[in-house]
Amino acid sequence: MDKILIHGGNQLKGEVKISGSKNSTLPILFASLLTDEAVTIKNVPSLADVDTTIGLLNFIGKLAVKKGSVVKILSKEKYKHIAPYDLIRKMRASILIMGPLLARLKKVDVSLPGGCTIGSRPIDIHLDAFKHLGVEISIDGGYVKTSAKNGLKGNTIHFNFPSVGATENVLLSAVLAEGKTTIINAATEPEIEDLANVLTKMGASITGAGTKEIVIHGVKKLKGFSHSVIPDRIEAATYMIAAAITKGQITLKNVTPKHLCAVSKNLKNCGMTINETKDTISIKWTKYLNPKNIKTDVYPGFPTDVQAQWMALMCLAKGNSKITETIFENRFMHVPELKRLGADITINEKEVLIKGVKKLSGAPVMVSDLRAGAALVLAGLAAEGQTIVSRIYHLDRGYDMLEKKLKKLGANIKRIKN
Ligand code: UD1
């Protein structure tokens, strides 16, 4: 397994181009199953999760090919209705295959998904939504077996929690259902709007995407599309924190600053200087950072996907801070690893108390999940001496050219192939 080796202490300076959003790309790739026509998706990041999704689409019956940052998808053969364990287990987002296949085939058997090990991550909200659309569901041999013999029927679906994936799965199915579907308490993340924009280009009738109530009027057929994916706000936030933790100065290009409001606001409160244009963010360290408590929340709150990176930053702030995780249980697996670098952190159920320390010292650390990995790389960039980060396959799921981009900004970082 590859490792990343970092000699910390370099201030990061320069420009970095942010890639397309992983969390937008995946549902948009699945949307291609809703049409037999040609699809072109641009600004696609090079990530293991994208390759996994392309592999899944090709297994189901598409001909999807990625060249650089463009994915072209054609229809190859009649779709299979079974998504097997080997293809699903790697990534939780594989569950998004259910919506489009139910819409097209009226049945699908999907192996229960895997992905990051952050909490139990059930799929009850997805399944309950499908039941409301007329789907019969059973669980058998590790598979969710579903069928809608009479086709999908529009309905009102009230989410008890605004699940991002479940909102996407309903969008990806209700667009071809009979009649009107209303999602109440829908997720409002920018990736939902991006998916709705794609579906609208395909001929779907959707209003309210990006708000808590989405209304979908089902149509009979959808057409092909060409679309450029929105910038990855989580990757962008990670580079903003890289500037902060290394006392550097970075300009991020190809970003949507309004998607990063919560992160920018908190970084400013810590003492970072931030200037924005329509599609760039310049961030500069000028003084020893103040501590700042954060509490993760659904969009537009502070993203849970930036919680671990924020913790790395707070380890070196001037004083004590508190982080509260409200979205996922068990999303503090980076804590013992940060402590190996010299951090002073105490976990108290959903809260973590961090006492800022003057310095971190390099050490071997192990990645447990994607964003925990980002936090360890950030801490390694600031730590004195050498940090060796292992199990970086988690990072390859979600960060496009991580070492190359960091190296270009001046980091002393390299990948060791094993
Ligand atoms: C998506 C993102 C992920 C991000 C998360 C929250 C993708 C590919 N992934 O994940 O990076 O961290 O949103 O912003 O877009 N839950 C249930 N039952 C369900 C579904 C979810 O209890 O049926 C719970 C989860 O266990 C979790 C919370 O709801 O505690 C949030 O999950 P959800 O919003 O669905 O996140 P994902 O779509 O999995």
Side-chain angles (χ1 to χ4, degrees):
M1 282 191 280
D2 293 3
K3 290 181 176 150
I4 285 179
L5 206 137
I6 305 167
H7 279 273
N10 291 6
Q11 284 181 307
L12 297 197
K13 288 204 167 127
E15 286 181 2
V16 61
K17 184 172 177 274
I18 298 305
S19 299
S21 160
K22 167 177 94 73
N23 289 351
S24 255
T25 299
L26 304 181
I28 291 170
L29 282 166
F30 285 113
S32 71
L33 290 167
L34 292 166
T35 180
D36 292 329
E37 295 181 18
V39 161
T40 302
I41 312 175
K42 299 175 200 155
N43 200 31
V44 174
S46 295
L47 303 171
D49 277 8
V50 169
D51 295 341
T52 301
T53 309
I54 288 175
L56 185 53
L57 294 178
N58 286 337
F59 171 85
I60 293 294
K62 288 291 194 190
L63 185 63
V65 179
K66 179 170 182 297
K67 253 195 198 159
S69 62
V70 178
V71 177
K72 288 191 184 270
I73 308 173
L74 298 171
S75 286
K76 184 176 61 183
E77 60 200 14
K78 207 166 151 254
Y79 293 166
K80 297 182 187 67
H81 77 280
I82 298 179
Y85 175 71
D86 270 356
L87 292 170
I88 297 288
R89 72 182 162 85
K90 294 183 192 159
M91 191 184 76
R92 179 175 159 85
S94 311
I95 196 72
L96 297 178
I97 194 107
M98 286 184 87
L101 287 189
L102 271 169
R104 296 295 305 276
L105 304 177
K106 300 185 175 41
K107 65 173 177 181
V108 54
D109 296 349
V110 182
S111 170
L112 286 162
C116 281
T117 47
I118 43 175
S120 59
R121 304 187 83 175
I123 54 165
D124 54 314
I125 303 172
H126 299 246
L127 300 185
D128 188 60
F130 286 136
K131 279 184 195 157
H132 278 78
L133 296 179
V135 179
E136 283 177 23
I137 298 174
S138 62
I139 296 190
D140 185 16
Y143 277 76
V144 186
K145 299 192 170 176
T146 60
S147 89
K149 286 194 187 83
N150 301 321
L152 299 177
K153 308 271 185 243
N155 201 347
T156 298
I157 301 167
H158 196 127
F159 286 159
N160 57 16
F161 176 84
S163 157
V164 174
T167 303
E168 290 165 348
N169 240 337
V170 173
L171 279 167
L172 286 165
S173 50
V175 283
L176 286 178
E178 191 187 315
K180 175 180 165 188
T181 298
T182 306
I183 313 175
I184 295 169
N185 199 24
T188 60
E189 270 66 6
E191 294 77 21
I192 302 285
E193 261 188 281
D194 207 25
L195 174 63
N197 287 340
V198 164
L199 294 169
T200 305
K201 283 183 187 175
M202 296 175 81
S205 165
I206 302 170
T207 52
T211 74
K212 290 205 150 294
E213 188 168 316
I214 304 179
V215 177
I216 306 146
H217 287 275
V219 296
K220 288 254 171 325
K221 208 172 170 198
L222 292 168
K223 46 184 197 272
F225 66 90
S226 173
H227 184 76
S228 185
V229 174
I230 59 168
D232 195 310
R233 63 194 169 98
I234 309 301
E235 187 198 21
T238 305
Y239 284 98
M240 291 172 83
I241 295 175
I245 206 166
T246 66
K247 306 179 177 172
Q249 182 174 355
I250 297 180
T251 297
L252 292 86
K253 298 204 143 174
N254 187 35
V255 281
T256 306
K258 73 169 188 231
H259 293 167
L260 284 143
C261 259
V263 175
S264 297
K265 191 181 88 191
N266 281 291
L267 281 167
K268 279 183 196 160
N269 285 340
C270 288
M272 294 296 290
T273 303
I274 297 180
N275 288 304
E276 296 169 355
T277 67
K278 195 171 103 329
D279 58 0
T280 68
I281 298 178
S282 297
I283 175 161
K284 186 177 175 186
W285 183 91
T286 53
K287 57 179 187 203
Y288 193 12
L289 293 186
N290 295 317
K292 181 80 186 65
N293 298 345
I294 58 122
K295 186 177 189 174
T296 62
D297 204 349
V298 295
Y299 187 82
F302 194 95
T304 173
D305 285 352
V306 187
Q307 178 256 105
Q309 300 90 312
W310 190 261
M311 195 182 297
L313 182 64
M314 288 302 101
C315 289
L316 289 164
K318 190 172 54 181
N320 302 344
S321 57
K322 184 169 87 180
I323 293 180
T324 312
E325 174 59 59
T326 71
I327 307 294
F328 289 106
E329 51 185 273
N330 197 22
R331 201 175 198 179
F332 291 138
M333 280 175 299
H334 38 285
V335 169
E337 301 302 302
L338 287 170
K339 282 174 145 181
R340 291 171 58 75
L341 299 173
D344 186 342
I345 309 174
T346 314
I347 303 180
N348 196 355
E349 295 182 357
K350 285 180 162 195
E351 282 178 7
V352 160
L353 302 172
I354 306 144
K355 284 189 185 159
V357 293
K358 281 264 152 44
K359 64 166 190 145
L360 296 174
S361 306
V365 287
M366 200 186 278
V367 177
S368 57
D369 61 84
L370 171 55
R371 307 304 170 184
L376 296 176
V377 169
L378 291 170
L381 290 171
E384 278 180 11
Q386 179 178 279
T387 297
I388 302 171
V389 187
S390 56
R391 300 211 174 161
I392 58 166
Y393 55 87
H394 289 290
L395 281 163
D396 294 336
R397 289 187 45 213
Y399 285 93
D400 189 3
M401 295 188 292
L402 180 67
E403 318 89 76
K404 270 197 191 146
K405 289 186 183 184
L406 287 172
K407 202 170 178 167
K408 196 168 157 259
L409 291 168
N412 186 342
I413 183 168
K414 67 175 177 195
R415 178 182 289 246
I416 318 167
K417 297 255 176 210
N418 257 1

